[in-house]
Amino acid sequence: MTLTADAGAADAAPQSPPRTTVYRPAVPVDLRATVGMLRRGPGDPTMVFDGPVIWRTLRTPLGPATLALRVHGDEIRATAWGTGADPALDTVPSLCGADDDPSGFDPSPHPFIAEVARRTRGLRLARTGVVFDALACAIIEQKVTGLEAFRAWRLLVTKFGERAPGPTPRPMYTAPTAEQWRRIPSWDWHRVAVQPPQSKTIVRVAERAESISRALLAASTGDDRDRVLTSFPGIGPWTSAETRIRALGDPDAVSVGDYHLAHEVGYALTGHRTDDDGMLELLEPWAGHRQRVIRLIFASRVSEPRRGPRLSPEDHRGR
């Protein structure tokens, strides 16, 4: 990709002018559906939707960076700020689904999936390549509501991360480094209602973040990836799958044990809720692409009607 300085953009750090590139995907890409799934709630300090522009922060070997992505015709235009601007721009194709290989995927076994696939041709599976951030985020989301997990993520990243460079539409932050996660005091975990089992798991994996990342990126199959992650106490199949989805864009990962997922898959495919075993049986015709089918179900916005009270957040801070 050719990188050029963008003299028309304002930069919060004058010594580090913005860099730009244009990515021309070989197939249509729905940017918001593809990259937007990485956002952890509307208050995520690492990702902001600002009209047609998606803002995302990240850490690179050269330092922090902020990416702004927008669609222009058949192109995706990217601008990056910060000392890590150049390597951040290198991630744009993977973020936009360039590594996603749908070959072998046949939606025809179910007319609903076939119709959704026809209507959402721009949906791709994003790959961040950032294993530890995905793993830490998934651990925080264990056994709590999304609302609780998003709040904890927002508060921890804002307090222990680093202010992101560039003219962001609101203050944004890069996620803490593994070393910074490891040093978060116990009382700060307590204040954001992250329970000790989860905080201790994050601290343990932070101590071996680089080796975990190398091993996971080297693993070539879903089973091998699961073995890498679930070999650590506190990481089960659900956390492994969530990490594989975000960091690797794994097309076959299924988050078994999720509070809602099996019900949603069952309702979309049969009109009735099911359990994890039933979900896996329903997804079997698409082995190798089960996550792709799940994403299509989410993209359809077909959802089981709520019949009972939502799972209420629990406050563990007084325990």
Side-chain angles (χ1 to χ4, degrees):
M1 295 187 295
T2 301
L3 306 180
T4 59
D6 183 359
D11 190 355
Q15 75 279 11
S16 179
R19 308 286 286 172
T20 66
T21 192
V22 174
Y23 170 53
R24 298 177 178 87
V27 295
V29 174
D30 183 329
L31 187 64
R32 188 151 180 155
T34 298
V35 180
M37 60 81 59
L38 298 170
R39 187 176 70 156
R40 313 322 296 166
D44 188 348
T46 69
M47 180 173 282
V48 170
F49 296 162
D50 183 37
V53 182
I54 294 179
W55 294 79
R56 173 175 164 79
T57 71
L58 66 159
R59 288 188 178 274
T60 78
L62 298 184
T66 301
L67 270 176
L69 303 171
R70 61 194 181 281
V71 175
H72 185 80
D74 295 333
E75 303 174 342
I76 295 174
R77 298 186 175 182
T79 305
W81 293 262
T83 55
D86 284 354
L89 290 175
D90 290 339
T91 71
V92 170
S94 293
L95 276 176
C96 297
D99 301 319
D100 181 20
D101 180 8
S103 60
F105 172 58
D106 178 9
S108 65
H110 196 290
F112 171 72
I113 296 300
E115 173 60 18
V116 178
R118 185 190 65 78
R119 290 190 282 107
T120 57
R121 295 185 185 277
L123 176 62
R124 312 293 291 172
L125 302 184
R127 175 189 175 104
T128 70
V130 185
V131 172
F132 181 76
D133 282 5
L135 183 54
C137 193
I139 294 168
I140 288 173
E141 294 177 1
Q142 291 176 350
K143 300 180 181 180
V144 295
T145 65
L147 183 65
E148 292 173 285
F150 295 159
R151 174 183 178 273
W153 172 257
R154 181 181 73 250
L155 295 176
L156 290 169
V157 169
T158 301
K159 182 169 183 177
F160 296 100
E162 182 177 346
R163 182 70 178 267
T168 57
R170 70 180 191 217
M172 296 180 68
Y173 295 80
T174 59
T177 64
E179 179 62 19
Q180 288 169 327
W181 281 109
R182 192 177 71 81
R183 294 182 178 275
I184 293 176
S186 59
W187 53 86
D188 280 305
W189 294 110
H190 190 64
R191 285 170 180 159
V192 301
V194 174
Q195 299 179 63
Q198 281 67 52
S199 62
K200 290 176 181 177
T201 298
I202 291 177
V203 170
R204 279 196 301 267
V205 298
E207 293 170 347
R208 302 185 61 182
E210 290 188 12
S211 62
I212 294 173
S213 180
R214 285 195 301 269
L216 188 64
L217 294 173
S220 58
T221 69
D223 287 344
D224 289 341
R225 292 164 180 170
D226 274 340
R227 276 191 287 270
V228 169
L229 293 171
T230 60
S231 64
F232 292 88
I235 299 177
W238 183 91
T239 305
S240 175
E242 290 290 304
T243 303
R244 290 163 53 193
I245 291 165
R246 299 169 196 167
L248 305 179
D250 192 319
D252 197 46
V254 181
S255 302
V256 174
D258 190 271
Y259 186 75
H260 296 291
L261 182 60
H263 299 163
E264 298 294 352
V265 170
Y267 183 80
L269 298 181
T270 70
H272 304 282
R273 62 168 50 197
T274 188
D275 57 13
D276 282 335
D277 289 339
M279 172 179 67
L280 293 175
E281 183 177 351
L282 288 171
L283 294 174
E284 180 59 29
W286 298 284
H289 293 276
R290 295 176 299 176
Q291 177 57 210
R292 192 182 310 281
V293 172
I294 291 168
R295 290 288 303 283
L296 288 171
I297 290 172
F298 289 160
S300 75
R301 300 190 182 278
V302 170
S303 181
E304 180 190 23
R306 302 293 182 186
R307 295 185 174 87
R310 292 179 180 270
L311 182 65
S312 300
E314 296 184 54
D315 191 341
H316 303 274
R317 289 170 290 180
R319 297 182 179 179

